[in-house]
Every structure is written in structure tokens, then in C-alpha cells.
Amino acid sequence: MEAEISTNKRQTAFRLNEGLIEALKIKARHANRSLNNYVESILLDAVYNTPNEETRQAIEEARSGKSAGKLDMSNYDAFLKSLNAIK
């Protein structure tokens, strides 16, 4: 679905947990964005960012665990060997 994002804006009010607002302000500041712009971008992503078919299949495959192999974390060489065995 293609997002049609209007430049017309309407002011609205939400009641949010104070801790959440403070965390959002910090993240917005680190992203060099206003709080409004930061929250709006998060909401736009949540509403309009739909994965394509290939991504949905990959997510489904990962969740099913069908292709999952075992990783040997005993040491680095064993890890690399087990990682290559999964491919």
C-alpha cells in the first residue's frame, strides 16, 4: 500500500506516560529532530511501513525455525565453522 502523506496537519492532544514522553524527547534530541517530528515519523512507520512479500516470507521462515542451525559458541573457530554449516 502506497502511503499518501498529506502536508495538511491537524493539532491534536494525547495523554502519555511522563516517562514515555521523556524517553521520546531524549531519542528525538539524539536524532536532531523535534519531538513532534520524531513521534510523527514513528507513527508513519507503524501505519505505512508494510513488508513486501519476500520480507514476509523471510520473517515467517525465521519464526518457524526450519532453517535454523545450531551455533557452537564454545570458541571463535567453532562458531565460524558452525555458522558456515548453516549456509
Side-chain angles (χ1 to χ4, degrees):
M1 169 166 78
E2 243 348 91
E4 289 187 28
I5 302 169
S6 172
T7 56
N8 297 331
K9 307 247 179 177
R10 179 171 32 164
Q11 187 171 349
T12 188
F14 291 96
R15 283 182 237 185
L16 301 173
N17 174 285
E18 286 183 29
L20 175 60
I21 292 171
E22 291 308 312
L24 288 167
K25 284 180 180 179
I26 291 168
K27 289 191 171 279
R29 193 168 32 251
H30 286 146
N32 294 316
R33 298 165 83 171
S34 69
L35 176 61
N36 184 80
N37 177 265
Y38 185 74
V39 171
E40 183 179 30
S41 67
I42 291 170
L43 293 173
L44 285 168
D45 281 347
V47 172
Y48 296 111
N49 191 5
T50 308
N52 64 25
E53 183 59 31
E54 182 180 359
T55 303
R56 281 195 298 270
Q57 288 175 358
I59 291 169
E60 189 175 315
E61 180 182 322
R63 286 181 177 157
S64 74
K66 290 179 189 172
S67 297
K70 266 193 152 178
L71 292 178
D72 184 348
M73 303 292 279
S74 60
N75 63 56
Y76 185 70
D77 289 331
F79 169 73
L80 288 179
K81 185 177 179 182
S82 65
L83 187 61
N84 288 329
I86 293 173
K87 293 179 185 177

